Amino acid sequence: MGEKYKKWSCFLCGDTVIEGQRFAWIPERGYAHIECLHEELASRFEGRIPARVEALLDFDEVMAYAIVRTKQAEKLLDGELRSRVEEARHKVEGLSALAGRLLKDVLREYGVEI
């Protein structure tokens, strides 16, 4: 039986974002393909995305990837070990939410709303 991945719509292009793809989450907006977000931000910053924004985009993307990979690991584990990995995933999910909030806050400092 095939693996079931969560799916969302990219708030920038409207196409499907599938869990496991490169994506970012922005509070109050939702999910976006990382490529769409880079393209949008490059246009907003006239081709030069500030290093602070790039760093937070990377942080957000890495946290999303970590969640997906941790979920995959959970499927292979059981018992106490699975519980501990699941607990760790919940912490990463919190860091992912933080990454999205920080990115949104920094964009606001630059006067950019996405």
Side-chain angles (χ1 to χ4, degrees), residues 1-5:
M1 183 173 193
E3 217 173 313
K4 296 287 185 186
Y5 290 101

Side-chain angles (χ1 to χ4, degrees), residues 55-75:
L56 291 172
L57 280 170
D58 286 347
F59 178 38
D60 191 36
E61 181 183 359
V62 167
M63 292 301 100
Y65 182 72
I67 292 166
V68 171
R69 293 302 304 265
T70 304
K71 285 180 178 181
Q72 291 170 344
E74 286 173 35
K75 291 176 183 175

Side-chain angles (χ1 to χ4, degrees), residues 5 27 30 39 52 67 80 82 87 93 95-96 99 106 114:
Y5 290 101
E39 186 177 311
R52 294 171 67 212
I67 292 166
E80 177 66 20
R82 181 180 180 149
E87 182 180 318
E93 288 170 343
L95 291 172
S96 179
V106 167
I114 56 171

Side-chain angles (χ1 to χ4, degrees), residues 12-84:
L12 292 168
C13 75
D15 287 344
T16 302
V17 176
I18 300 171
E19 186 177 41
Q21 289 180 322
R22 296 178 67 210
F23 69 89
W25 175 78
I26 305 297
E28 298 148 19
R29 289 305 310 267
Y31 296 87
H33 298 108
I34 200 74
E35 295 84 0
C36 293
L37 192 52
H38 271 275
E39 186 177 311
E40 178 68 21
L41 292 174
S43 72
R44 300 280 184 103
F45 287 107
E46 299 174 356
R48 288 192 49 99
I49 299 173
R52 294 171 67 212
V53 174
E54 283 286 0
L56 291 172
L57 280 170
D58 286 347
F59 178 38
D60 191 36
E61 181 183 359
V62 167
M63 292 301 100
Y65 182 72
I67 292 166
V68 171
R69 293 302 304 265
T70 304
K71 285 180 178 181
Q72 291 170 344
E74 286 173 35
K75 291 176 183 175
L76 300 174
L77 301 169
D78 59 10
E80 177 66 20
L81 195 52
R82 181 180 180 149
S83 295
R84 292 178 70 189

